[in-house]
Amino acid sequence: PEIAEVDIRNELQVIKESMSSIVVLNCHSAHGRSILKQAADMFMMNLGYVWITTDSLTAVAQNLALDDGTYPGYLNGLIGTAPALASVNGFDSFQDEFIRNSGDGSILNIWSTTVYDAIDLAYHACRTSKIFHVDEGKASCSTKTPWERGSEFLGVMKSVNF
């Protein structure tokens, strides 16, 4: 749903009435700000409650900022997960190259590592399997024709070990 459509006050009321003091919030980052605001309006972000959010909200702090770039006081004490980033299979050199070529000096964020992992997985699957060849003349991102060997390629990707 659109951010304006997210209304979980009924669900929050059930949590409040259950006297649960620890709430785990796993939601799309676009909805998190709205959900936490509704919880604050219901006095569920006050002392006595612990909110643990997943990395979709806390890995990129800007997701929770107000439109003017500030952060509402009710977020004090919010606990969130963030995936550990390790130096894996050339990611550091990829990041260095990205920074050199980005033009604005921006660095990769947590979601960029997911894209990197997906591309790296596809690369390893192609490299380890000699059966795949893409005819550049036939490759297109705009057609809806299924790839004849897509299921086979998916199977190869599932067997890749890093």
Side-chain angles (χ1 to χ4, degrees):
E2 294 296 322
I3 293 173
E5 296 175 30
V6 174
D7 182 353
I8 66 158
R9 289 177 292 185
N10 290 336
E11 290 84 353
L12 290 171
Q13 188 62 39
V14 169
I15 294 170
K16 190 172 186 175
E17 289 172 4
S18 75
M19 298 181 55
S20 295
S21 60
I22 300 173
V23 182
V24 177
L25 176 60
N26 179 24
C27 67
H28 191 281
S29 62
H31 304 296
R33 217 170 60 174
S34 171
I35 292 169
L36 293 170
K37 171 72 170 108
Q38 290 173 55
D41 291 345
M42 295 175 69
F43 305 101
M44 294 178 69
M45 298 293 292
N46 297 348
L47 188 63
Y49 285 95
V50 175
W51 284 77
I52 303 171
T53 65
T54 54
D55 54 322
S56 65
L57 288 174
T58 53
V60 181
Q62 294 83 356
N63 290 338
L64 296 172
L66 299 173
D67 294 337
D68 65 2
T70 63
Y71 294 89
Y74 58 77
L75 295 179
N76 288 338
L78 187 70
I79 300 170
T81 62
L85 297 178
S87 176
V88 212
N89 297 335
F91 179 76
D92 289 336
S93 60
F94 173 78
Q95 182 177 25
D96 292 343
E97 184 72 20
F98 178 86
I99 291 169
R100 273 193 300 280
N101 293 306
S102 66
D104 64 358
S106 62
I107 62 170
L108 299 172
N109 63 34
I110 197 75
W111 309 115
S112 304
T113 59
T114 305
V115 173
Y116 175 82
D117 287 344
I119 292 169
D120 197 39
L121 173 63
Y123 165 77
H124 278 42
C126 289
R127 188 168 176 225
T128 59
S129 175
K130 306 287 187 223
I131 61 174
F132 298 104
H133 171 74
V134 176
D135 182 345
E136 291 182 21
K138 294 182 181 177
S140 172
C141 294
S142 60
T143 64
K144 294 184 181 178
T145 307
W147 185 24
E148 293 173 10
R149 300 179 83 181
S151 295
E152 190 177 351
F153 185 66
L154 182 59
V156 171
M157 285 196 303
K158 288 179 179 179
S159 69
V160 169
N161 290 313
F162 293 97

